[in-house]
Amino acid sequence: MEAVITVVGKDAVGILAKVCTACAEANVNVEEVTQRILRGTFAMIMLVDMSQATLDFTAFSEKMAQTGQAMGVDVRCTRQELYETMHHI
């Protein structure tokens, strides 16, 4: 299963590293990443493969939210198929 992780918040050193570390700890593979800093706001979208994950989707999503809270940024995890449905016109 694939998922989309979005991260938005005030830019700071180590955001990408901490999000990737949390993925690695759950054996979630990062497949694609795009990020920008927009007037001091960090914005990132990641596509990850959860097929070998050690956590189920709900637990992983909660872990990512907690990772974001610890950094003061908003981290959300959405199933890929739901993300595509939500953003399809």
Side-chain angles (χ1 to χ4, degrees), residues 32-68:
E32 294 185 45
V33 177
T34 184
Q35 68 177 31
R36 293 279 190 250
I37 299 170
L38 309 164
R39 296 185 181 173
T41 298
F42 180 87
M44 177 171 68
I45 300 174
M46 304 173 79
L47 179 63
V48 299
D49 177 8
M50 296 191 60
S51 62
Q52 302 296 315
T54 56
L55 299 173
D56 66 20
F57 178 80
T58 301
F60 178 70
S61 183
E62 290 171 3
K63 174 185 176 83
M64 297 311 294
Q66 291 169 355
T67 299

Side-chain angles (χ1 to χ4, degrees), residues 4-10 15-16 18-20 23 33-36 38 41-46 64 67-69 71-77:
V4 175
I5 299 171
T6 58
V7 181
V8 177
K10 187 177 186 300
I15 296 172
L16 175 61
K18 290 175 184 171
V19 172
C20 286
C23 287
V33 177
T34 184
Q35 68 177 31
R36 293 279 190 250
L38 309 164
T41 298
F42 180 87
M44 177 171 68
I45 300 174
M46 304 173 79
M64 297 311 294
T67 299
Q69 286 176 342
M71 293 184 288
V73 298
D74 182 48
V75 179
R76 297 175 190 252
C77 188

